[in-house]
Amino acid sequence: MKPNPIQWILIFTIFSLTFSCKEKSKEKDQNTMIKDWHSAAKPEEAVVTHEDLDLKIDFEKKVIEGIAMLSVWNKSKGTELYIDTRNLEITNIFLEKDGNKTEFEFLEEKPFMGKPLKIKISNSEKQKVIIVYKTTQNSDALQWLEPSQTAGKKHPFLFTQGQAILSRTWFPCQDSPGIRFTWSANVNLKNELEAIMSSEIRSADSTTGRYHFEMPKPVPAYLVALAAGNLAFQKIDDRTGVFAEPEMLEKSAYEFGEMGKMVSAAEKLYGQYRWGRYDVLVLPPSFPFGGMENPCVTFATPTILAGDRSLTSLIAHELAHSWSGNLVTNATWDDFWLNEGFTVYFERRIMEELEGKNYADMLAVLGHQELTGTLEDLGNKSESTHLKLKLTGKDPDDGMNDIAYEKGYLFLYHLENLVGREKWDAFVKKYFDDNAFQSMTTESFVEYLKSNLLHINQISEEKAAVASWIYQPGLPAGYQIPSSLRFQSAGNAAQKFGQTGKIDKSQTQMWSSHEWLHFLRALPKTVDKTQMAVLDDNFNFTQSGNNEILFEWLNLSIKNQYLPAYLALDKFLTHIGRRKFVLPLYKELLKTQEGKALATKIFDHSKANYHSVTRQSVEGLF
Ligand code: BES
Ligand code: ZN
């Protein structure tokens, strides 16, 4: 019998595991220093080092029934273990040692944090605790999709989204990015659907619906992910491939055809890819993010399937997280910029390798435009524009914004310019190697930066303006603003259109989707309805198959009350759950009375389609 695709992956994985030297996370006990406000765990006393999950997925009841076996390192040899949970039903807790039930209690429930479990354990240093549990309707990490919400329309679909603090809603864990553990999972499906998890090792017995996953590298809880649905696989090359519903597979495999090259480019820049395979799972359109860097298998929105590979820098971004984020991880969500700033920087370097500097410059300019908008919204003095955040008492989901990404990028770009690319690249590579499988606080990063880059190059901290970038609002005076040669044509065309209402179509022939985005953003703040119609007649924006362009156009249409685009707007908001698109459109609608009525109507019939992350954010706006 020929192995099926999943079996091939297993064979490959076992092969690569046997022949690559196994990663050994340094036996350094990090947990004594870092305090994460967003977790009730006390890792300095007792920390979970491994979890074995046994999961039964029931699509009819929309419940996962789970048994979690936690390997505990009881450092203090005390008798208490603290585990994060939120909206989980706990049936029983046993100690493996004697098979007896043990006492547990829920501590006080806090909004968005959930109810921590305090479990009585024995005083031995190494032990296992078994938690029998069920997810509930309010397990917010999970989105259960009806067949009508999928491409195939015949089968249900389930996916999880753990970041930032939602993993505790689908399995009991110490849910802090500063706590890493290895894990395995058995997944049971009743029907013929396929399951996939963010693990290095995967195996399947499709006749019984039993799947097995193993992650031998220590990861934080937010990087444990699961999806199940009617999934097919297509390889791109020996170590990359695409999972998607069969209806989406060919399109996805074409779109991501350069993935292998991206991994090689990334390795050339900052060292070996350490996670075995790199695959992408294309989810249904309600997925609340563009992409999520789940190890070994990025979860991605189908809204980047433009048909021309023009939006694939998102894949470069999620791939880059395999170093910045998954290998070296922000210790708390206050240090989120370490994950995202490095990743945006790395993403643009990968795109520069693949497409050249002029291409990467376009991405940097678009990012800078978004940052400028965010700074205007938040105000130049706001604490939420610091790189180092203060999320104590806040839901990290509300506190995290563009700043970590784009101000983080600009800071690293500034450091590159200070020392030159060669020294900078050597530093970044060493940073990933020296801190692999560790967590990093902003402060430990600054120490590392001083010792390994600034001092040896005789650059003072003041000259590097480190404190100002990290602990001050807005942007330091005189920072280097990204610019793009390729945007000149689109910028000029937008300005000219603003003045004359005319556009020379021939010059637009060579524009990529980035140039179109720049054009739309560079138009005057108000464009009258006839001019909107001229643009639409010429370039068919309302029918655009490129969701980034369509989003920008719909935004402009709301601003200028261009009603012919409203049907497309309704369809877009009903169909797509990607928060980056959905939120700004509702926000724009809510600025006027008529807009508000429309927003309410659309939200009423769309909210069932949204993941909790998107739904709650939109509710926040109303
Ligand atoms: N890790 C993020 C997504 C995320 C951030 C989820 C915070 C939950 C909380 C992911 O890598 C990301 O940044 N995705 C972006 C795309 C990227 C190209 C900027 C997105 O989803 O739009
Ligand atoms: Zn990211």
Side-chain angles (χ1 to χ4, degrees):
M1 210 177 80
K2 264 175 60 186
N4 69 31
I6 303 226
Q7 285 163 337
W8 271 120
I9 293 172
L10 174 71
I11 293 164
F12 174 87
T13 311
I14 291 173
F15 183 83
S16 61
L17 264 181
T18 319
F19 291 94
S20 74
C21 51
K22 265 196 173 176
E23 312 285 346
K24 273 225 169 89
S25 85
K26 288 172 212 144
E27 273 284 332
K28 208 162 96 187
D29 185 9
Q30 282 210 319
N31 304 126
T32 40
M33 310 289 293
I34 307 160
K35 182 69 209 134
D36 176 8
W37 190 86
H38 292 101
S39 167
K42 296 186 180 174
E44 66 286 2
E45 293 176 14
V47 69
V48 173
T49 57
H50 180 86
E51 281 207 43
D52 291 305
L53 299 169
D54 198 84
L55 307 169
K56 221 182 280 159
I57 302 180
D58 187 334
F59 276 100
E60 268 151 42
K61 291 199 200 126
K62 300 192 172 150
V63 165
I64 299 179
E65 286 181 26
I67 303 174
M69 182 157 75
L70 281 50
S71 304
V72 179
W73 175 18
N74 184 7
K75 295 180 197 167
S76 67
K77 303 205 178 124
T79 55
E80 282 161 9
L81 172 70
Y82 292 87
I83 297 294
D84 295 301
T85 78
R86 186 180 143 212
N87 297 329
L88 284 184
E89 198 182 301
I90 305 295
T91 319
N92 268 313
I93 305 185
F94 302 92
L95 297 189
E96 196 211 23
K97 204 171 77 161
D98 49 16
N100 285 334
K101 283 187 198 170
T102 190
E103 287 166 27
F104 64 90
E105 63 174 292
F106 279 118
L107 303 185
E108 189 200 342
E109 177 160 17
K110 290 202 201 122
F112 63 81
M113 296 278 285
K115 280 193 287 192
L117 261 181
K118 181 171 143 189
I119 303 170
K120 187 164 177 212
I121 57 173
S122 84
N123 58 8
S124 40
E125 193 178 348
K126 296 278 160 81
Q127 58 187 301
K128 289 184 179 169
V129 175
I130 298 164
I131 305 178
V132 186
Y133 73 97
K134 273 187 202 154
T135 62
T136 64
Q137 272 187 4
N138 298 319
S139 288
D140 280 350
L142 303 176
Q143 191 175 11
W144 298 91
L145 298 177
E146 298 296 334
S148 62
Q149 291 170 281
T150 66
K153 314 275 176 222
K154 288 206 183 77
H155 303 279
F157 201 105
L158 166 69
F159 67 84
T160 67
Q161 167 58 40
Q163 198 180 13
I165 54 168
L166 295 178
S167 280
R168 67 189 67 176
T169 75
W170 79 277
F171 68 99
C173 53
Q174 292 188 319
D175 196 4
S176 165
I179 301 176
R180 312 178 83 87
F181 54 93
T182 54
W183 60 271
S184 83
N186 287 318
V187 175
N188 287 286
L189 287 170
K190 272 198 213 146
N191 34 25
E192 324 99 290
L193 303 180
E194 302 254 351
I196 170 92
M197 289 189 79
S198 54
S199 66
E200 207 169 80
I201 301 172
R202 314 162 183 153
S203 66
D205 181 345
S206 35
T207 48
T208 59
R210 286 178 66 89
Y211 290 77
H212 181 72
F213 304 95
E214 266 175 56
M215 180 45 119
K217 315 245 159 83
V219 291
Y222 81 90
L223 292 177
V224 181
L226 163 74
N230 184 24
L231 291 175
F233 176 81
Q234 189 165 321
K235 74 174 231 175
I236 306 278
D237 60 21
D238 284 347
R239 67 168 160 178
T240 66
V242 181
F243 288 93
E245 286 186 71
E247 295 77 7
M248 305 297 285
L249 192 60
E250 201 185 325
K251 193 169 186 203
S252 306
Y254 171 75
E255 204 78 30
F256 305 144
E258 308 262 88
M259 254 159 58
K261 281 191 207 154
M262 284 186 180
V263 183
S264 304
E267 287 188 311
K268 194 174 130 207
L269 284 164
Y270 296 135
Q272 189 207 356
Y273 176 76
R274 305 201 197 204
W275 304 89
R277 295 190 54 82
Y278 181 71
D279 296 314
V280 171
L281 164 65
V282 178
L283 289 156
S286 68
F287 186 58
F289 294 102
M292 178 63 214
E293 64 271 26
N294 297 315
C296 309
V297 55
T298 282
F299 284 18
T301 171
T303 62
I304 52 170
L305 302 174
D308 60 1
R309 300 182 171 176
S310 63
L311 303 178
T312 49
S313 63
L314 184 133
I315 300 298
H317 178 98
E318 304 312 333
L319 167 67
H321 273 305
S322 307
W323 288 258
S324 42
N326 300 3
L327 199 58
V328 184
T329 309
N330 52 206
T332 74
W333 297 116
D334 287 355
D335 309 299
F336 183 55
W337 78 274
L338 283 175
N339 271 19
E340 296 300 343
F342 264 97
T343 298
V344 171
Y345 178 85
F346 195 174
E347 163 204 333
R348 290 183 186 151
R349 292 295 303 276
I350 295 172
M351 293 317 288
E352 183 176 330
E353 290 290 317
L354 260 64
E355 305 288 340
K357 182 168 184 312
N358 287 345
Y359 188 96
D361 284 348
M362 293 195 289
L363 300 177
V365 171
L366 291 173
H368 185 257
Q369 290 166 358
E370 283 153 26
L371 176 63
T372 315
T374 305
L375 286 172
E376 268 167 31
D377 284 354
L378 297 173
N380 257 318
K381 301 251 170 327
S382 159
E383 273 202 346
S384 46
T385 68
H386 294 192
L387 282 180
K388 170 88 184 188
L389 296 170
K390 284 190 193 138
L391 296 174
T392 303
K394 288 190 196 148
D395 184 346
D397 240 358
D398 300 334
M400 301 188 315
N401 55 39
D402 266 15
I403 301 293
Y405 293 76
E406 296 297 341
K407 184 176 172 183
Y409 164 79
L410 287 174
F411 176 39
L412 302 178
Y413 178 57
H414 151 81
L415 292 173
E416 178 200 329
N417 288 327
L418 269 183
V419 295
R421 192 166 263 195
E422 204 178 319
K423 285 180 181 158
W424 169 248
D425 280 352
F427 165 79
V428 176
K429 184 162 188 278
K430 188 168 148 48
Y431 168 69
F432 291 139
D433 279 340
D434 286 350
N435 302 292
F437 301 103
Q438 308 281 328
S439 312
M440 183 66 63
T441 60
T442 300
E443 291 65 33
S444 55
F445 169 74
V446 170
E447 282 311 306
Y448 189 89
L449 178 75
K450 283 199 275 185
S451 328
N452 293 281
L453 191 76
L454 301 182
H455 291 174
I456 49 177
N457 289 299
Q458 279 94 44
I459 293 171
S460 68
E461 241 186 286
E462 294 67 47
K463 176 150 189 245
V466 176
S468 147
W469 277 98
I470 295 179
Y471 300 108
Q472 295 294 317
L475 289 162
Y479 76 94
Q480 196 162 334
I481 300 173
S483 66
S484 156
L485 275 176
R486 277 181 66 176
F487 277 172
Q488 280 175 7
S489 155
N492 291 339
Q495 206 185 7
K496 203 161 152 215
F497 183 79
Q499 287 156 358
T500 64
K502 290 200 178 72
I503 181 161
D504 170 12
K505 234 177 150 174
S506 68
Q507 72 178 124
T508 67
Q509 300 294 323
M510 300 297 289
W511 287 0
S512 67
S513 43
H514 308 299
E515 280 135 321
W516 280 113
L517 288 179
H518 182 64
F519 172 78
L520 290 172
R521 291 179 187 183
L523 287 170
K525 275 218 166 78
T526 50
V527 182
D528 70 39
K529 285 171 194 134
T530 28
Q531 287 194 336
M532 288 292 286
V534 169
L535 288 174
D536 212 5
D537 288 346
N538 275 287
F539 305 114
N540 253 316
F541 288 122
T542 303
Q543 312 305 331
S544 177
N546 182 308
N547 286 300
E548 289 279 354
I549 295 176
L550 182 57
F551 161 73
E552 210 64 56
W553 175 251
L554 293 174
N555 211 352
L556 205 64
S557 299
I558 305 172
K559 283 195 172 105
N560 295 296
Q561 292 174 15
Y562 176 63
L563 301 183
Y566 276 35
L567 203 62
L569 172 68
D570 190 334
K571 195 169 145 223
F572 189 91
L573 286 173
T574 313
H575 188 63
I576 292 174
R578 185 174 172 189
R579 188 168 66 170
K580 178 188 131 176
F581 291 152
V582 169
L583 220 53
L585 293 176
Y586 278 108
K587 216 175 191 174
E588 206 50 57
L589 279 172
L590 290 178
K591 286 182 182 165
T592 65
Q593 271 314 317
E594 310 88 72
K596 197 169 177 184
L598 182 60
T600 312
K601 196 180 121 227
I602 296 177
F603 186 59
D604 271 351
H605 67 241
S606 308
K607 64 179 171 216
N609 188 39
Y610 298 151
H611 184 274
S612 68
V613 159
T614 299
R615 197 186 57 243
Q616 286 166 16
S617 300
V618 179
E619 273 163 1
L621 289 179
F622 278 102

